[in-house]
């Protein structure tokens, strides 16, 4: 492909991204998941334009999203099935309310490039987490999306570190409890605390009654303080949301709350040197657009630990499909 062709190919992917979101939003993905449909049938039941539906599905089928048979019926494929309702679905991320938030943010990217400030704040008039707290529908979609992103990696994180040597683990900003569920299942003696904002704790969907017997739910603001008296403090996908100064506050709060001999475990993607293909660099730009945070190198985390009175002890890699490392720090 020529350089110009390659660039136009990349920029054209935006059309695919919109089409994928639309087959979710209109219900096309759910209909086809039930059984194969022609575009005419889809158009009739969903009040759409048959010709437009056909052309959209033909484009998606060329990417392996749906497959057309010789009678013009579109069937589900593994790539289309994750767009339909169901336990493995990623549809919440692609539904209109969340998509509108994301696209409005992209329109403000020039603001980020000029100022270094998040496009999100320019688009929505307030910081990301304030917006989620003020808009329960968006907040719920974000929590569900985080749980979706985290679920495949939680078991790898629980395996990557020997939690068995500790009594109580606090998951600071632990969301819906997926990581704690993985740890509690693997280590039958450990006790846990799920700490997050009150509205997030309303749905600790990963913790069933038997796990909840070993897990306290504690609401609060991690910039004020975190629950005291534990020997392990987990921060997974938290520090990358915040500035260096805020990260030092969070780490200090954990250090102050922690028992002697305890550990702080920061679980984050690590920025590697060089320009090899690396999705973490796109994730970093995502953080820049949404929050005042960033993805960081190990050296950057190490320097922030020092400022908080902690020392980096080890970096534990995690197994696929996780793309995060467990960075262990102690006083
Ligand atoms: N650790 C989880 C969730 C990460 S998303 C995971 O890896 O999937 C960031 C989390 O930080 C959200 O659950 C959010 O509610 C929480 N959070 C944001 N600001 C907070 C605050 N001031 N106090 C406590 N939790 C906060």
């Amino acid at each position: 492909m020529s350089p110009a062709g390659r660039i136009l190919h990349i920029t054209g992917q935006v059309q695919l991204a919109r089409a994928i979101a639309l087959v979710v939003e209109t219900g096309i993905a759910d209909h086809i998941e039930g059984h194969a449909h022609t575009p005419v049938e889809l158009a009739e039941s969903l009040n759409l334009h048959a010709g437009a539906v056909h052309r959209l599905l033909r484009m998606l089928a060329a990417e392996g999203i749906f497959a057309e048979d010789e009678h013009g019926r579109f069937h589900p494929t593994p790539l289309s099935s994750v767009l339909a309702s169901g336990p493995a679905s990623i549809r919440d991320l692609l539904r209109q309310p969340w998509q509108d938030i994301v696209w409005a943010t992209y329109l403000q990217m020039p603001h980020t490039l000029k100022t270094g400030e998040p496009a999100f704040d320019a688009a929505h008039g307030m910081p990301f987490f304030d917006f989620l707290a003020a808009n329960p529908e968006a907040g719920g979609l974000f929590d569900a999306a985080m749980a979706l992103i985290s679920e495949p990696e939680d078991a790898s994180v629980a395996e990557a570190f020997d939690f068995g040597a500790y009594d109580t683990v606090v998951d600071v900003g632990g969301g819906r409890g997926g990581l704690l569920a993985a740890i509690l299942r693997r280590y039958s003696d450990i006790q846990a605390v799920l700490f997050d904002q009150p509205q997030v704790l309303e749905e600790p969907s990963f913790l069933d009654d038997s796990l909840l017997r070993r897990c306290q739910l504690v609401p609060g603001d991690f910039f004020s303080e975190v629950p005291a008296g534990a020997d392990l403090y987990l921060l997974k996908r938290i520090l990358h949301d915040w500035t260096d100064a805020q990260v030092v506050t969070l780490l200090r709060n954990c250090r102050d709350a922690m028992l002697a001999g305890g550990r702080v475990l920061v679980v984050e993607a690590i920025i590697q040197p060089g320009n090899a293909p690396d999705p973490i660099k796109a994730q970093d730009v995502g953080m820049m657009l949404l929050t005042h945070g960033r993805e960081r190198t190990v050296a950057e985390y190490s320097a922030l630990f020092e400022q908080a009175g902690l020392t980096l002890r080890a970096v534990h890699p995690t197994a696929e499909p996780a793309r995060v490392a467990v960075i262990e720090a102690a006083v």
Side-chain angles (χ1 to χ4, degrees), residues 17-291:
R18 286 302 277 156
I20 290 170
L22 272 173
V23 294
V24 168
E25 189 60 33
T26 54
I28 290 177
D30 272 338
H31 267 65
I32 296 180
E33 188 69 14
H35 64 92
H37 280 79
T38 64
V40 170
E41 290 165 346
L42 290 167
E44 271 168 16
S45 21
L46 298 169
N47 201 20
L48 301 168
H49 185 280
V53 169
H54 178 242
R55 291 159 72 186
L56 203 79
L57 292 183
R58 185 172 61 183
M59 172 182 76
L60 291 172
E63 301 290 331
I65 306 165
F66 310 113
E68 188 176 3
D69 67 19
E70 65 275 23
H71 307 294
R73 283 185 305 236
F74 284 85
H75 295 254
T77 63
L79 292 185
S80 74
S81 292
V82 294
L83 305 175
S85 314
S89 178
I90 54 166
R91 67 197 299 281
D92 280 351
L93 273 173
L94 300 167
R95 295 280 325 283
Q96 180 114 28
W98 191 252
Q99 289 287 302
D100 285 352
I101 292 167
V102 170
W103 287 88
T105 303
Y106 287 155
L107 286 177
Q108 297 298 330
M109 261 177 97
H111 173 76
T112 297
L113 209 58
K114 280 203 193 94
T115 63
E117 297 292 315
F120 186 91
D121 300 25
H124 302 285
M126 63 182 98
F128 185 63
F129 284 104
D130 293 356
F131 179 89
L132 296 181
N135 293 275
E137 186 187 23
L141 285 172
F142 172 78
D143 295 338
M146 265 326 292
L148 265 173
I149 292 168
S150 292
E151 192 174 9
E153 74 192 8
D154 286 337
S156 305
V157 173
E159 261 171 48
F161 180 81
D162 183 10
F163 291 88
Y166 299 87
D167 294 326
T168 310
V169 50
V170 181
D171 196 359
V172 178
R176 293 190 167 175
L179 178 56
L180 284 184
I183 295 169
L184 289 166
R185 287 215 176 86
R186 201 178 163 88
Y187 295 94
S188 51
D189 291 332
I190 202 163
Q191 302 289 316
V193 177
L194 178 61
F195 180 74
D196 208 302
Q197 305 181 91
Q199 74 274 17
V200 179
L201 292 184
E202 279 167 25
E203 216 168 319
S205 44
F206 288 87
L207 298 164
D208 60 25
D209 287 346
S210 81
L211 295 181
L212 280 171
R213 278 197 279 279
R214 288 156 60 210
C215 183
Q216 244 185 299
L217 308 183
V218 178
D221 171 8
F222 52 36
F223 287 112
S224 306
E225 58 177 359
V226 303
D231 47 5
L232 264 188
Y233 287 82
L234 280 171
L235 295 147
K236 180 162 92 66
R237 295 185 178 274
I238 300 296
L239 301 188
H240 73 164
D241 293 333
W242 307 102
T243 63
D244 286 359
Q246 288 168 316
V247 165
V248 171
T249 302
L250 286 177
L251 290 172
R252 274 210 193 106
N253 287 349
C254 291
R255 185 205 59 187
D256 292 348
M258 185 165 75
L259 294 176
R263 293 285 185 275
V264 175
L265 302 180
V266 170
V267 186
E268 293 284 2
I270 301 288
I271 289 273
Q272 304 292 348
N275 294 147
D278 184 354
I280 306 309
K281 285 159 188 168
Q283 186 173 300
D284 173 60
V285 171
M287 302 320 296
M288 175 167 79
L289 297 176
L290 290 180
T291 72

